Amino acid sequence: MGEIALGDVDSFTEFYDRHSRLLFSVAVHILRDEREAEDVLQEAMVALWERAARYDASLGKPVSWVVTMTRNRAIDRLRGLKRRPQATAVELEEPDAVSDEADSATARMMSHESALSLRKALGQLPEDQRRAIELAFFGGLTHVEIAESTATPLGTVKARIRRGMLQLRDGLDGLL
């Protein structure tokens, strides 16, 4: 992360190559839209490039920091989409730019592999931790909203998410 903060493009490229599938999977799971997820991934990578110097290693691994940035951007995007008026029939009928089918298939396959790894790691968590993480990261709920919807104290929700994220990090280290 220090090298990225100093403007090292190769370090940034290596980080992107290593973690973009996971970040894309997080965004797709929240947004349920690959195009929107691509935009969120790009925004998160720009933010990483611009804010790498602010990274605090004592708070966790760099990938955890960027997953959180991606998640937050995806939730913001989802909330923004909900506020936008529905697309008109004309907008729905207009074809988008044609994408290369091979690239699209490769991206879907890589996204699928990351999703499988994530599901496997999530499945190994205790139920209470898994549920809290799913509500936060994939359901887009805040900690307060999770506490209210599950009738669980806020501190307990935060602790479950923290412990679960630590276990996920350990479980995914060898897979990503």
Side-chain angles (χ1 to χ4, degrees):
M1 194 55 65
E3 293 172 5
I4 295 172
L6 295 173
D8 184 344
V9 174
D10 291 334
S11 295
F12 178 79
T13 302
E14 181 181 334
F15 186 92
Y16 178 86
D17 290 344
R18 182 178 289 169
H19 301 293
S20 62
R21 290 182 295 169
L22 170 66
L23 301 171
F24 181 73
S25 293
V26 167
V28 166
H29 198 82
I30 293 169
L31 293 164
R32 308 267 188 235
D33 184 312
E34 287 188 9
R35 281 189 225 140
E36 294 291 337
E38 288 170 356
D39 289 345
V40 165
L41 176 60
Q42 181 178 352
E43 290 172 13
M45 290 294 97
V46 169
L48 168 65
W49 180 255
E50 293 173 345
R51 299 180 185 155
R54 296 183 201 163
Y55 167 70
D56 181 358
S58 69
L59 299 177
K61 291 188 175 185
V63 69
S64 301
W65 183 57
V66 180
V67 163
T68 301
M69 283 196 299
T70 304
R71 173 194 171 269
N72 292 343
R73 279 174 172 67
I75 291 169
D76 290 345
R77 174 73 54 108
L78 184 63
R79 288 177 179 154
L81 291 171
K82 288 179 181 178
R83 279 182 278 208
R84 264 197 260 163
Q86 295 298 318
T88 64
V90 173
E91 289 174 318
L92 293 174
E93 292 174 9
E94 289 180 13
D96 292 327
V98 178
S99 64
D100 182 16
E101 289 183 26
D103 286 345
S104 180
T106 301
R108 282 194 305 273
M109 180 188 73
M110 290 173 27
S111 175
H112 180 69
E113 290 173 6
S114 293
L116 288 176
S117 297
L118 183 57
R119 275 193 218 112
K120 180 180 177 185
L122 276 169
Q124 295 173 355
L125 293 178
E127 174 65 22
D128 58 346
Q129 292 175 8
R130 182 190 56 74
R131 183 73 179 134
I133 288 172
E134 286 176 343
L135 289 171
F137 286 86
F138 305 129
L141 299 180
T142 66
H143 292 169
V144 172
E145 291 169 335
I146 295 168
E148 290 172 356
S149 69
T150 61
T152 305
L154 179 60
T156 302
V157 168
K158 289 180 179 183
R160 287 176 180 169
I161 291 172
R162 174 82 174 132
R163 284 192 305 269
M165 292 301 291
L166 291 172
Q167 282 185 266
L168 277 178
R169 178 188 68 193
D170 294 341
L172 291 172
D173 266 350
L175 300 173
L176 300 175

